[in-house]
Amino acid sequence: MGARPADPGHHPAEDHRAHGDARPHAVAHRGSADASPRALTAPFQETDLSTRSVIARPTADGYAGMYVHFDGSPDSKLPLLLAAYQHRFAGDLEAMARHLIDDVEHGWDELGTDLLDGAPATVRRSLTGGDEYPSRQITDVICADGSPAERELITQDGTDDLEWAYVLHPHGIEVIALRAYERGPVVAWDTDPRSIVRADPGAWHPDSPAPIVPPRFMPHLSTTVPVIAPAPNRAARR
């Protein structure tokens, strides 16, 4: 196993969520020649409150993808990925995978509301509460000798310090609670991103339905006064 991104100063980033988690600009320092860009220095481990995850493609023997440092729990990450697939990427899974995995050098510090581009305003507000923040990649990843680190994918064999995995299958997102299971249930791509999603790892058993409840919408009540048709005139019987 190798290393996970560390933040030497733990300075808040310019953009962060309304719930108050500071977003540090992650910088990784490699601890060994074969370390991946995933190791934490001890000071960062003591103060970091992130939920680490990986977004991956399926492979012949598992999956491979990119590290995401913040907001990895399914109640946060799953709605964002569903909405991104349905709207920004218009159902083009390969384009979505290229953006999230192939076009990334070392991983994501966080995924932002730019993934919701093209989504209806009602969906966007439901998922963000009106907050806007950009996606940010992890930068300045260096080896112990100061040389630039090589790009490296996380596989199913390198998830010891991660909590969640999101595997982008053609038929949906496999959500894996890594602290409890090696596989997970698949959430169909047409699932409403405004659904209520449980974040409890134990609820994501691979042989059980995904713990998701569709959103409930209040019926639209008309403000116009209904027109009452006049009673028909009946001829008097003679």
Side-chain angles (χ1 to χ4, degrees):
M1 275 297 293
R4 214 174 284 277
D7 178 3
H10 199 59
H11 299 300
E14 294 180 0
D15 297 286
H16 56 82
R17 302 286 185 90
H19 55 60
D21 282 352
R23 296 299 192 263
H25 186 70
V27 180
H29 297 279
R30 298 280 178 115
S32 62
D34 63 345
S36 74
R38 307 191 300 275
L40 288 167
T41 58
F44 192 54
Q45 289 179 352
E46 294 172 359
T47 58
D48 177 36
L49 299 177
S50 60
T51 302
R52 303 173 182 86
S53 63
V54 58
I55 296 178
R57 278 193 183 94
T59 62
D61 57 353
Y63 51 87
M66 273 291 165
Y67 173 75
V68 184
H69 190 63
F70 283 107
D71 294 340
S73 61
D75 55 336
S76 171
K77 195 61 74 241
L78 184 58
L80 186 65
L81 294 174
L82 289 171
Y85 173 85
Q86 294 171 15
H87 302 290
R88 172 169 172 170
F89 297 101
D92 189 338
L93 182 57
E94 185 54 34
M96 181 175 173
R98 284 197 305 269
H99 176 76
L100 293 173
I101 302 170
D102 299 340
D103 297 342
V104 185
E105 188 66 21
H106 297 295
W108 295 96
D109 199 15
E110 73 174 328
L111 298 178
T113 54
D114 50 282
L115 288 180
L116 299 177
D117 289 353
T122 53
V123 172
R124 197 177 188 102
R125 283 196 305 270
S126 177
L127 269 57
T128 69
D131 197 14
E132 298 288 332
Y133 46 93
S135 297
R136 293 184 293 113
Q137 293 190 31
I138 295 171
T139 59
D140 301 327
V141 182
I142 59 174
C143 297
D145 61 2
S147 60
E150 295 182 1
R151 185 177 187 272
E152 188 173 354
L153 293 176
I154 296 175
T155 71
Q156 67 280 354
D157 298 321
T159 60
D160 289 354
D161 295 327
L162 302 180
E163 296 179 54
W164 296 91
Y166 300 90
V167 186
L168 310 181
H169 295 275
H171 54 297
I173 306 177
E174 182 182 6
V175 181
I176 308 174
L178 294 169
R179 301 287 175 88
Y181 310 110
E182 294 183 353
R183 306 301 303 190
V186 175
V187 179
W189 285 118
D190 61 356
T191 301
D192 194 317
R194 294 167 292 181
S195 299
I196 300 172
V197 180
R198 288 186 62 184
D200 174 18
W204 291 87
H205 191 284
D207 296 327
S208 300
I212 296 176
V213 178
R216 294 181 180 180
F217 301 107
M218 294 296 293
H220 178 71
L221 301 178
S222 175
T223 58
T224 59
V225 178
V227 177
I228 301 176
N233 293 326
R234 296 182 181 274
R237 292 186 180 182
R238 295 176 181 261

